[in-house]
Amino acid sequence: MIVAGNWKMFVGPEPSALAARLASIEGVDVVVAPAYTGICPCVGAGLTTYAQNVHWEPEGAYTGEVSPAMLLEAGAAGAIVGHSERRQYFGESDTAVARRARAALGAGLGVIACVGETQEERDMGDTETVLRVQVEAIGDSCGPHDRLVLAYEPVWAIGTGRTATPELAQEAHAFIKSLLDRPVLYGGSVKPDNAAELMAQPDIDGALVGGASLEIDSFASICEAAARSRS
Ligand code: PEP
């Protein structure tokens, strides 16, 4: 099981206090993804640390971007790519997401690549089509790389308090795995009180947690639920 905390553009918990709280939890790979300025402090506290994005070039005139080599130098172990907030607010295309993922994997980083449909796409009955296009872009570029993890994040469930039912999430995860055989995390309003039932589903391999990762005890409770789900 993998539980990753996406701190978005928030300062997030104090890294050494978080590391101390997580130290006794076994059987889960815990990842934190702070803003870029938080990477070194998290690495320094011994946390497995991912960036929230990564560029495909090693260096160049790409203001506001960060390269895989720069992340490695900072001690990061990987990067999230294709988060729906990047796709929605910053126009990230499937092609860009695939290039980011491929470059990061090629440099030796881990990757959590996010996919998911909007409410409108689900209402139109387009969920599988959307997931297929997003997952195939990543799969065509990276293959079933052993450092690649996918995250199913239905856009309508992110930061809204609306969680996918375990059955709905399980169905989407099984579909995603039929396209690309890699672990799939669920993301979308995961909280301590819904984590166990989500992670009891056979094709849910962990969680990508936004809001609830900003508070040490709620994030630790989700990690503990993940640990119990496969014990
Ligand atoms: C996320 O940011 O990836 C996320 C799933 O957010 P939240 O848990 O707040 O819905």
Side-chain angles (χ1 to χ4, degrees):
M1 298 297 271
I2 302 166
V3 177
N6 172 20
W7 295 1
K8 311 189 191 226
M9 202 173 71
F10 294 100
V11 172
E14 202 284 306
S16 48
L18 177 61
R21 176 68 177 82
L22 296 174
S24 59
I25 304 175
E26 287 176 2
V28 189
D29 293 325
V30 181
V31 170
V32 294
Y36 294 123
T37 51
I39 289 176
C40 288
C42 286
V43 171
L47 295 161
T48 302
T49 307
Y50 275 34
Q52 294 174 16
N53 208 353
V54 60
H55 198 262
W56 51 86
E57 293 291 346
E59 63 179 2
Y62 300 103
T63 302
E65 295 283 338
V66 64
S67 75
M70 290 164 178
L71 292 180
L72 285 167
E73 190 169 344
I80 297 171
V81 300
H83 192 280
S84 68
E85 289 154 13
R86 299 297 318 170
R87 294 176 185 264
Q88 269 187 303
Y89 306 142
F90 301 97
E92 297 254 338
S93 66
D94 287 327
T95 308
V97 171
R99 289 180 83 179
R100 291 179 190 278
R102 184 185 167 91
L105 292 168
L109 292 166
V111 166
I112 298 174
C114 305
V115 298
E117 80 288 358
T118 63
Q119 182 67 63
E120 193 184 1
E121 289 162 344
R122 176 160 284 274
D123 292 345
M124 301 276 285
D126 289 341
T127 298
E128 289 203 350
T129 307
V130 170
L131 293 179
R132 182 184 295 279
V133 169
Q134 293 179 346
V135 172
E136 285 184 351
I138 296 160
D140 289 350
S141 171
C142 305
H145 196 289
D146 61 2
R147 269 182 277 106
L148 173 64
V149 169
L150 299 170
Y152 171 59
E153 297 211 307
V155 179
W156 45 270
I158 298 177
T160 58
R162 289 178 60 203
T163 317
T165 63
E167 295 73 24
L168 184 151
Q170 164 59 28
E171 196 181 329
H173 281 228
F175 179 68
I176 290 167
K177 286 186 183 181
S178 76
L179 302 170
L180 186 57
D181 188 17
R182 294 303 303 145
V184 184
L185 314 183
Y186 171 77
S189 299
V190 177
K191 305 272 183 271
D193 60 3
N194 60 24
E197 56 173 0
L198 285 160
M199 286 189 273
Q201 299 298 314
D203 289 308
I204 297 186
D205 303 305
L208 179 54
V209 185
S213 73
L214 296 172
E215 208 268 306
I216 290 180
D217 281 330
S218 67
F219 187 59
S221 299
I222 293 167
C223 295
E224 283 161 351
R228 280 194 301 270
S229 74
R230 295 293 193 271
S231 63

